[in-house]
């Protein structure tokens, strides 16, 4: 069973999955002259960093295509709730450096990107 699914379709379980929570502050937030920080949190959003190691051409293409739409619904294990959650994300910059490219052996070193909650 896969760890995550995109728009209801299971994707290959990543080699690395890192969950994060970002505070979103009001535009008026900041430090006053007495050096006290006034955060004024207005919300929180999830950020998930994903990477896969040693994928073939076909596997790399399949992962990248699954996460290619502008917005995606991702079901994943949420660290804060302790359950699987489905939330809408967009994808940050993607990278896929090549590890080896010879006859009969074409592999990517990794495929990695961040998911940021909408």
């Amino acid at each position: 069973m896969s760890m995550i699914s995109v728009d209801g379709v299971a994707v290959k379980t990543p080699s690395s999955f890192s969950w994060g929570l970002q505070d979103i502050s009001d535009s008026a937030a900041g430090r006053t002259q007495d050096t006290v920080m006034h955060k004024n949190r207005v919300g929180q959003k999830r950020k998930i960093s994903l990477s896969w190691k040693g994928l073939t051409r076909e596997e790399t293409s399949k992962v990248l295509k699954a996460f290619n739409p502008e917005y995606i619904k991702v079901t994943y294990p949420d660290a804060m709730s302790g359950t699987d959650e489905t939330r809408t994300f967009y994808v940050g910059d993607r990278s896929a450096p090549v590890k080896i490219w010879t006859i009969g052996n074409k592999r990517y070193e990794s495929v990695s990107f961040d998911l940021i909650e909408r």
Side-chain angles (χ1 to χ4, degrees):
M1 184 171 158
S2 182
M3 175 187 241
I4 58 176
S5 65
V6 177
D7 294 329
V9 178
V11 297
K12 183 175 179 71
T13 297
S15 303
S16 174
F17 176 101
S18 180
W19 180 93
L21 185 66
Q22 301 173 323
D23 283 346
I24 309 301
S25 297
D26 183 272
S27 60
R31 290 195 185 275
T32 50
Q33 288 188 354
D34 61 0
T35 71
V36 174
M37 179 65 180
H38 300 275
K39 190 167 171 104
N40 302 334
R41 183 170 71 191
V42 295
Q44 293 181 308
K45 297 293 179 178
R46 268 72 170 166
K47 177 181 171 185
I48 300 171
S49 298
L50 301 172
S51 71
W52 292 259
K53 304 282 186 201
L55 298 182
T56 65
R57 291 173 91 169
E58 295 78 17
E59 290 170 324
T60 297
S61 177
K62 194 170 184 177
V63 167
L64 290 173
K65 286 177 181 174
F67 291 92
N68 197 46
E70 185 172 11
Y71 299 107
I72 51 177
K73 288 198 179 291
V74 179
T75 303
Y76 65 96
D78 188 80
M80 181 161 298
S81 70
T83 63
D84 286 350
E85 290 198 12
T86 301
R87 293 177 180 259
T88 302
F89 291 86
Y90 63 92
V91 184
D93 294 343
R94 302 146 186 93
S95 67
V98 169
K99 180 173 186 162
I100 189 166
W101 209 261
T102 61
I103 296 172
N105 193 8
K106 294 174 174 43
R107 292 209 176 258
Y108 287 85
E109 181 178 320
S110 63
V111 175
S112 61
F113 48 81
D114 292 334
L115 302 177
I116 301 100
E117 188 178 2
R118 183 169 184 194

